[in-house]
Amino acid sequence: MADGSGRVLHVAETAQWELGRQVGSYEISSRGKTLAEEGFIHCSTATQAGPVLRNFYADLDPAALTLLVLDVDLLGALGSPVRWDDVPGAEAPFPHVYGPILPGAVVATLAVGGTAGAPELPPPADLDALDVLSAPPSPSE
């Protein structure tokens, strides 16, 4: 699938994101895995992020999580391209960042709502206003 413009989300533990922001490079792929271990950083569209939160982060306090809103074009310009990869069992490809997330590619940070066991995304209108992709770009984009 073609790389595409727009924005994608990454679920970060807030303390890890703050450390990465301070040192100038965030390299956590997913919960308990680093970029070096996985080879990429897991991201998702607005549609995919809710299930990711519920399946992998529900046991954490949502107040300890931050959604990073990442600009796909900025990531590429900073040397960390986004690729859309098929994931077994998933309905659509997931965006993966192949390199560290530099703070300059993070256009917004959003709080995760809800409670432990039931984390919630911000309202869809908020994600739409930030141009977060709800589906992978079409191959022609």
Side-chain angles (χ1 to χ4, degrees):
M1 175 161 285
D3 292 344
S5 327
R7 294 175 177 166
V8 295
L9 300 170
H10 172 74
V11 179
E13 293 182 55
T14 303
Q16 292 173 334
W17 161 240
E18 288 300 325
L19 178 61
R21 189 178 60 76
Q22 289 171 10
V23 299
S25 181
Y26 174 83
E27 299 186 18
I28 303 299
S29 177
S30 63
R31 189 170 176 191
K33 298 282 185 181
T34 66
L35 169 61
E37 293 169 318
E38 289 287 287
F40 56 83
I41 295 175
H42 290 270
C43 293
S44 51
T45 64
T47 303
Q48 296 165 331
V52 167
L53 279 171
R54 289 188 295 277
N55 291 329
F56 300 104
Y57 296 91
D59 61 316
L60 297 179
D61 179 354
L65 300 173
T66 299
L67 286 173
L68 306 183
V69 181
L70 308 172
D71 186 284
V72 172
D73 290 335
L74 286 173
L75 284 164
L78 293 170
S80 297
V82 173
R83 296 186 200 141
W84 294 81
D85 299 323
D86 290 324
V87 174
E91 292 179 19
F94 274 77
H96 294 142
V97 178
Y98 282 83
I101 294 173
L102 302 180
V106 179
V107 297
T109 57
L110 302 170
V112 174
T115 60
E120 297 176 358
L121 290 174
D126 291 354
L127 298 175
D128 289 346
L130 289 167
D131 196 27
V132 176
L133 296 171
S134 58
S138 66
S140 63
E141 289 183 1

